Amino acid sequence: MKKQNFITLTGYREFDLTKMEKRSIEFLEELSRRRTVRDFSAHPVPQNIIENCIKTAATAPSGANMQPWHFIVVADPKIKKEIKIAAEKEEKEFYSKRAPKEWLDALKPLGTNENKPFLETAPYLIVIFSKSYDLSSDGKKIKQYYSIESTGIACGMLITAIHHAGLVSLTHTPSPMKFLNKILNRPENEKPFLLLVVGYPSADAMVPNIKKKKFEEITSFF
Ligand SMILES: Cc1cc2nc3c(=O)[nH]c(=O)nc-3n(C[C@H](O)[C@H](O)[C@H](O)COP(=O)(O)O)c2cc1C
């Protein structure tokens, strides 16, 4: 019997095994070149590229297809400045008071501190909010399922799309991030999830010399 409200799977493409292997290696090589960048150029990026990357993120799977996310794209210099001031205030508290020594030690190799010039330099800040519940048109609460996991997957796809387009990003989490609700006028049911800084790297951009764990260390087969 035909299932109600189902359509034929048309998007899937099958490849022979040689092509499959080639594609998997090429994608691995492309993503292995991704780095978190903290030195941004002010070189402008057309908005439609950012829109395409967000549309890619929005193809992500989500618990019960709730799509519990909202993406805010900030290009306005005044709002970027406001975000920078608020983030640096939180980060100053974090680095000087709130962060335990163990956390600061873990951050040492990255050379980060409370100064966040990139929040003004980079052409775009994409702030991703995750919905703890949604609201129907008549104001009823709609439960969301696995909203953190779902938003995390969408963010991973967004970072991948940005890299694939030839741009760089910084996953930034000024702690705590509640100030983003106020500045961006987002409702109580949306929690700031990540602040993604997006643009071109500066000509002299440097990245920390850190390594990924070995495949054998992170994978087990049964
Ligand atoms: C959830 C999350 C939060 C992060 N928060 C920050 C941050 O606030 N500031 C920062 O400079 N980097 C931040 N990063 C970037 C990490 O430091 C970076 O991904 C890690 O050092 C590995 O480097 P790579 O992305 O170049 O492989 C964050 C990354 C993730 C996934």
Side-chain angles (χ1 to χ4, degrees):
M1 211 176 59
K2 230 177 155 30
K3 288 184 187 167
Q4 290 293 310
N5 194 34
F6 271 60
I7 52 170
T8 307
L9 172 69
T10 53
Y12 174 70
R13 285 191 290 160
E14 186 172 332
F15 304 104
D16 64 52
L17 289 181
T18 311
K19 194 162 183 196
M20 196 185 275
E21 189 184 6
K22 187 167 176 279
R23 285 172 60 88
S24 66
I25 291 171
E26 281 173 358
F27 199 60
L28 166 62
E29 282 171 355
E30 172 159 13
L31 282 201
S32 299
R33 289 187 292 102
R34 183 209 58 79
R35 287 303 311 269
T36 292
V37 169
R38 297 175 182 84
D39 302 327
F40 281 83
S41 141
H43 194 69
V45 173
Q47 188 176 301
N48 69 321
I49 309 281
I50 301 300
E51 287 174 11
N52 290 338
C53 293
I54 293 175
K55 285 177 190 175
T56 304
T59 66
S62 63
N65 196 32
M66 289 290 169
Q67 301 163 68
W69 42 65
H70 191 88
F71 300 88
I72 304 248
V73 181
V74 181
D76 183 331
K78 277 202 301 256
I79 305 179
K80 285 198 288 183
K81 187 171 188 173
E82 224 182 309
I83 291 176
K84 177 176 177 280
I85 290 169
E88 285 184 336
K89 191 170 162 230
E90 294 296 356
E91 292 284 86
K92 198 169 179 195
E93 279 281 307
F94 174 81
Y95 280 96
S96 63
K97 292 185 192 146
R98 275 201 305 266
K101 185 179 174 304
E102 208 177 1
W103 197 341
L104 291 176
D105 285 347
L107 288 173
K108 237 178 215 150
L110 308 179
T112 53
N113 59 34
E114 68 267 31
N115 300 317
K116 309 292 171 190
F118 45 75
L119 292 173
E120 269 189 292
T121 321
Y124 292 104
L125 308 179
I126 306 178
V127 185
I128 302 99
F129 286 84
S130 188
K131 294 182 185 186
S132 49
Y133 59 91
D134 211 349
L135 288 171
S136 66
S137 49
D138 57 355
K140 272 207 192 102
K141 280 189 183 179
I142 304 169
K143 203 168 155 40
Q144 305 289 287
Y145 304 98
Y146 297 108
S147 54
I148 298 297
E149 292 83 348
S150 304
T151 310
I153 292 170
C155 287
M157 290 171 65
L158 178 58
I159 291 166
T160 305
I162 289 164
H163 171 75
H164 185 66
L167 296 168
V168 295
S169 69
L170 160 63
T171 312
H172 188 29
T173 43
S175 164
M177 295 197 279
K178 194 73 190 155
F179 66 87
L180 290 165
N181 281 75
K182 193 158 174 258
I183 295 175
L184 301 171
N185 199 21
R186 296 314 299 171
E188 192 55 35
N189 63 322
E190 292 184 12
K191 304 270 173 273
F193 190 77
L194 287 182
L195 198 175
L196 215 57
V197 186
V198 182
Y200 289 93
S202 66
D204 55 357
M206 305 277 282
V207 289
N209 185 14
I210 49 174
K211 300 274 175 282
K212 296 296 176 193
K213 289 179 179 171
K214 285 203 175 74
F215 176 74
E216 297 71 24
E217 214 181 319
I218 59 153
T219 316
S220 306
F221 291 89
F222 288 94

